Amino acid sequence: MKLSCVHFYTLASVSDAEIKSLSETLYTLDHNRATVSELVIDPQTLISSSETGSRNDHSSRPLFKQVSSTLLSKPTYKALLNLLDNYRRVTGEVEDVPSQEVQDQDTFLQQTMNTDVGRELYNFLHSKGVYSSQSEFIQDLKMMSFGLYSRSSGKLDSSGFEHIFVGEIKGGKSGFHNWLHFNGPWSTYPDVFGMQFEWDGYFKEVGSAFIGCSPECNLAIYSLCYITRPGKRCYVSLGGQTLGIQTYTWDNSSYGDGKKYIASTYPATP
């Protein structure tokens, strides 16, 4: 019998208190998150969990009433938006990765590291011995997020980034935990929104996403939880509010010396 060893990261113990403290700092440093004048939404009808399978449209108006072009023109927003049309949404179809798409990935990751949020996350993980340099951190983020694996038919058709930030279709399930891909009256952003929607004919019974969170903060919170609590529930603090982030590892393949790709991460509350 052949045995294989799969591991995550070599790091000093990270306590729940440290995760909450760091996430609160990341929230404070998120200077690019939306303001109430930049992002106006219309949540409409709140339904109970017993109604989520009905497919009745209780909120017929668009969710986003206004999204500022100034907000979307910020470097990390532009870099993320440039990535959203690079994917085949249905699993079982091989993802092509031309050089321009690789460049788009590199630009997005570098833009996030040009922010206070990205630098703070790296400094924390560096202090814990996870990464020896910022370039090593960026490369590992690239592999765990953009590295391809197979969700269907043995074809390289998926990645953590596609599932979380873009969305994909397999048996009616679609990932899709990123508010910026919805094309676009809270008092502050970011907030967490649980929603039901139809995407290009595919029904999402229940989904959750941060609303108004900047791309760099979204990536940082998900990455923090995935690296420190892989395959588990991770509790963060944003604006004094505790919420859970669920992380899932992809267990059928790995990269590097046995590290696991991201399968999914998303807000587990509300």
Side-chain angles (χ1 to χ4, degrees), residues 15-34:
S15 68
D16 292 344
E18 285 179 304
I19 292 174
K20 285 189 175 182
S21 176
L22 177 60
S23 57
E24 193 64 55
T25 299
L26 296 175
Y27 170 85
T28 301
L29 292 174
D30 188 15
H31 310 305
N32 287 331
R33 66 175 179 258

Side-chain angles (χ1 to χ4, degrees), residues 11-225:
L11 72 164
S13 176
V14 178
S15 68
D16 292 344
E18 285 179 304
I19 292 174
K20 285 189 175 182
S21 176
L22 177 60
S23 57
E24 193 64 55
T25 299
L26 296 175
Y27 170 85
T28 301
L29 292 174
D30 188 15
H31 310 305
N32 287 331
R33 66 175 179 258
T35 65
V36 293
S37 63
E38 292 174 323
L39 178 60
V40 180
I41 65 174
D42 182 10
Q44 300 165 69
T45 305
L46 176 65
I47 64 173
S48 67
S49 58
S50 63
E51 298 176 274
T52 57
S54 68
R55 296 200 174 200
N56 293 325
D57 188 355
H58 298 281
S59 303
S60 58
R61 299 186 302 276
L63 172 61
F64 291 92
K65 297 176 68 174
Q66 175 181 318
V67 183
S68 167
S69 59
T70 301
L71 179 69
L72 299 182
S73 67
K74 293 181 178 181
T76 54
Y77 287 79
K78 286 179 63 177
L80 176 59
L81 291 171
N82 284 340
L83 283 165
L84 298 184
D85 63 354
N86 289 344
Y87 295 90
R88 302 175 187 272
R89 66 186 60 182
V90 178
T91 59
E93 299 180 6
V94 175
E95 291 289 352
D96 296 322
V97 188
S99 58
Q100 181 59 53
E101 183 173 329
V102 174
Q103 184 176 330
D104 289 344
Q105 295 171 4
D106 292 338
T107 298
F108 173 64
L109 293 175
Q110 189 57 60
Q111 289 293 352
T112 65
M113 290 307 301
N114 289 342
T115 66
D116 290 340
V117 169
R119 287 188 288 265
E120 186 69 18
L121 176 60
Y122 165 70
N123 289 337
F124 174 80
L125 295 172
H126 176 70
S127 74
K128 291 294 183 178
V130 186
Y131 302 105
S132 60
S133 67
Q134 190 177 103
S135 60
E136 180 188 3
F137 176 44
I138 292 174
Q139 180 60 27
D140 198 40
L141 274 180
K142 184 176 181 179
M143 288 303 301
M144 75 173 75
S145 301
F146 292 101
L148 294 175
Y149 50 80
S150 175
R151 288 185 188 266
S152 178
S153 306
K155 298 179 179 178
L156 295 179
D157 59 357
S158 183
S159 69
F161 178 86
E162 180 185 8
H163 185 83
I164 297 164
F165 284 89
V166 184
E168 58 186 355
I169 304 300
K170 181 183 180 183
K173 297 180 180 179
S174 59
F176 211 130
H177 305 292
N178 164 40
W179 72 271
L180 276 171
H181 201 194
F182 280 98
N183 287 325
W186 311 108
S187 58
T188 58
Y189 292 112
D191 212 322
V192 177
F193 202 57
M195 66 202 93
Q196 179 180 94
F197 57 92
E198 189 172 277
W199 176 40
D200 198 26
Y202 293 93
F203 179 66
K204 179 77 170 180
E205 185 171 318
V206 179
S208 60
F210 290 111
I211 299 291
C213 186
S214 73
E216 60 266 31
C217 193
N218 207 337
L219 180 68
I221 293 296
Y222 286 161
S223 299
L224 169 64
C225 284

